[in-house]
């Protein structure tokens, strides 16, 4: 018996627009809609239109709440098979999508696409208000809230509001005292992942931040910034009592205690006002260190 097109893997049906070939004529017809942008299949419930009938059928499940695809691990149900497949990777920890540049792997193709823009430096999502561009659309959406002064995430305990959900969650841990990031070496726990990363350097002795002047290395960027002042001979922290200047804020603090021991000044009130003024002057004079 003669083999079919599918058996021979022949693709005799070619698109006149992009030359892509298909084994079945029906697949070519479906593909052509991507060029014409035609959407002939409309949802009777919400009027949303689709180019493919199968996509309309899947969409209808969002109205009927039908979820025929069930996870065998946790019994969670989904309306789309693709959603189930995506969910299953949370159990298997599978990361099938790899970056060609740095080999970092992802469980979602969309995450790989977002990541890849870091290498290409592509920023196609631009703010209409200020012209700032972003590589990820979600970052643009969060940025737009800064123009609208919108802060949709509010703490129920103290009513403080936040633009980003991640900032809100970070703030919430102040109230809950939750420390979900644990060190594998000494089991010390931290509320922030960034704090855990800094802590791990104490075990690895890694010092990734190097001084360009003397090549001295530091485990934290803030230590490098403080060190750079020694090369510049800058002393941005001034005592408002005797005008003596210091390279570091901690030295000014120690110096001020010598005055407060002699003079009847409220230590806390004096230090707060002095540190605020000195810090503001320092940041203005050394913006390159911030």
């Amino acid at each position: 018996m003669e083999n079919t097109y599918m058996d021979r893997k022949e693709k005799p049906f070619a698109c006149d627009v992009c030359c892509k070939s298909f084994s079945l004529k029906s697949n070519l017809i479906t593909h052509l809609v991507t060029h014409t942008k035609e959407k002939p299949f409309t949802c009777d419930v919400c009027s949303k239109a689709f180019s493919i009938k199968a996509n309309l059928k899947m969409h209808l499940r969002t109205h009927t709440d039908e979820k025929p695809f069930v996870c065998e691990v946790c019994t969670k149900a989904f309306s789309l098979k693709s959603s189930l497949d995506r969910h299953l990777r949370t159990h298997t920890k599978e990361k099938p999508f790899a970056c060609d540049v740095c080999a970092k792997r992802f469980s979602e193709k969309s995450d790989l696409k977002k990541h890849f823009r870091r290498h290409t430096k592509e920023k196609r999502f631009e703010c209409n208000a200020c012209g700032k561009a972003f590589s990820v659309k979600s970052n643009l959406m969060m940025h737009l809230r800064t123009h609208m002064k919108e802060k949709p995430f509010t703490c129920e305990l103290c009513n403080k509001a936040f633009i980003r959900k991640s900032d809100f969650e970070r703030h919430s841990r102040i109230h809950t005292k939750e420390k979900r990031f644990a060190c594998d070496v000494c089991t010390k726990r931290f509320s922030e992942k960034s704090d855990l990363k800094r802590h791990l350097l104490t075990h690895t002795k890694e010092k990734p931040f190097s001084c360009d002047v003397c090549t001295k290395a530091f485990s934290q960027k803030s230590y490098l910034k403080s060190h750079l002042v020694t090369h510049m001979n800058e002393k941005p922290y001034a005592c408002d009592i005797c005008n003596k200047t210091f390279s570091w804020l901690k030295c000014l603090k120690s110096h001020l205690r010598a005055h407060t021991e002699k003079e009847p000044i409220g230590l806390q009130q004096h230090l707060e006002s002095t540190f605020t003024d000195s810090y503001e002057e320092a940041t203005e004079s050394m913006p390159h260190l911030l």
Side-chain angles (χ1 to χ4, degrees):
M1 187 171 67
E2 187 178 351
N3 289 340
T4 65
Y5 286 133
M6 290 293 284
D7 291 332
R8 295 200 304 268
K9 294 185 178 179
E10 293 182 12
K11 297 182 178 181
F13 303 102
C15 173
D16 294 332
V17 180
C18 66
C19 300
K20 190 172 182 179
S21 298
F22 301 87
S23 55
L24 298 176
K25 189 176 181 179
S26 59
N27 290 346
L28 170 61
I29 293 171
T30 300
H31 165 78
L32 285 171
V33 178
T34 63
H35 297 298
T36 63
K37 308 298 181 184
E38 183 186 358
K39 295 183 178 181
F41 304 101
T42 305
C43 174
D44 294 331
V45 181
C46 68
S47 300
K48 189 172 183 179
F50 299 87
S51 57
I52 301 172
K53 190 175 183 179
N55 289 347
L56 170 60
K57 286 183 178 179
M58 288 188 290
H59 166 78
L60 285 170
R61 292 186 188 130
T62 63
H63 297 299
T64 61
D65 206 30
E66 180 189 358
K67 295 181 179 180
F69 303 101
V70 181
C71 174
E72 295 179 354
V73 180
C74 67
T75 70
K76 190 172 182 178
F78 301 87
S79 57
L80 303 177
K81 187 178 185 298
S82 58
S83 298
L84 171 61
D85 292 338
R86 196 158 45 241
H87 165 79
L88 283 171
R89 289 196 284 270
T90 64
H91 295 299
T92 63
K93 308 300 181 185
E94 181 188 4
K95 295 182 177 181
F97 305 102
C99 175
D100 294 333
V101 179
C102 67
K104 189 172 182 179
R105 303 189 70 87
F106 300 87
S107 58
E108 302 298 329
K109 192 174 183 178
S110 58
D111 292 336
L112 171 60
K113 286 182 178 179
K114 292 174 188 175
H115 164 80
F116 195 71
R117 293 190 195 117
R118 294 184 179 180
H119 296 299
T120 62
K121 308 297 183 183
E122 180 189 3
K123 294 183 178 181
R124 56 178 180 168
F125 303 101
E126 187 173 318
C127 174
N128 293 327
C130 67
K132 190 172 183 180
F134 301 86
S135 58
V136 182
K137 188 176 181 180
S138 58
N139 289 346
L140 169 61
M141 300 306 291
M142 284 190 290
H143 166 77
L144 287 172
R145 292 179 185 145
T146 62
H147 294 297
M148 298 183 287
K149 308 299 181 184
E150 180 187 356
K151 294 183 177 181
F153 305 102
T154 304
C155 176
E156 294 180 354
L157 296 175
C158 67
N159 293 322
K160 190 171 183 179
F162 300 86
I163 292 173
R164 297 177 179 84
K165 187 178 181 181
S166 58
D167 292 338
F168 164 67
E169 290 174 344
R170 189 179 299 113
H171 165 81
S172 294
R173 289 194 284 272
I174 295 174
H175 296 299
T176 62
K177 309 296 182 185
E178 180 189 5
K179 294 183 178 181
R180 57 178 180 167
F181 301 103
C183 174
D184 294 331
V185 181
C186 67
T187 69
K188 190 172 182 179
R189 303 187 70 87
F190 301 87
S191 59
E192 300 302 326
K193 192 174 183 179
S194 57
D195 292 337
L196 171 60
K197 284 182 177 179
R198 274 195 296 270
H199 165 78
L200 285 171
L201 295 174
T202 63
H203 295 298
T204 63
K205 307 301 180 184
E206 184 184 357
K207 295 181 178 182
F209 304 101
S210 298
C211 174
D212 294 331
V213 181
C214 68
T215 69
K216 190 172 182 180
F218 301 87
S219 60
Q220 294 185 33
K221 193 174 184 179
S222 59
Y223 296 162
L224 171 60
K225 286 180 179 179
S226 296
H227 164 78
L228 285 171
V229 177
T230 63
H231 295 298
M232 299 171 190
N233 293 320
E234 292 187 40
K235 297 182 177 181
Y237 303 103
C239 173
D240 63 347
I241 299 174
C242 67
N243 296 322
K244 189 174 181 179
T245 56
F246 301 87
S247 299
W248 294 287
L249 184 61
K250 64 181 180 181
C251 293
L252 172 61
K253 286 182 179 180
S254 298
H255 168 79
L256 281 169
R257 291 192 184 99
H259 288 300
T260 54
E261 287 173 0
K262 300 174 183 178
E263 300 179 21
I265 301 175
L267 177 61
Q268 188 64 30
Q269 182 181 358
H270 177 71
L271 292 181
E272 284 179 0
S273 62
T274 303
F275 294 161
T276 300
D277 294 341
S278 297
Y279 182 76
E280 288 176 353
E281 291 174 4
T283 54
E284 288 175 3
S285 63
M286 297 193 300
H288 52 287
L289 293 183
L290 297 176

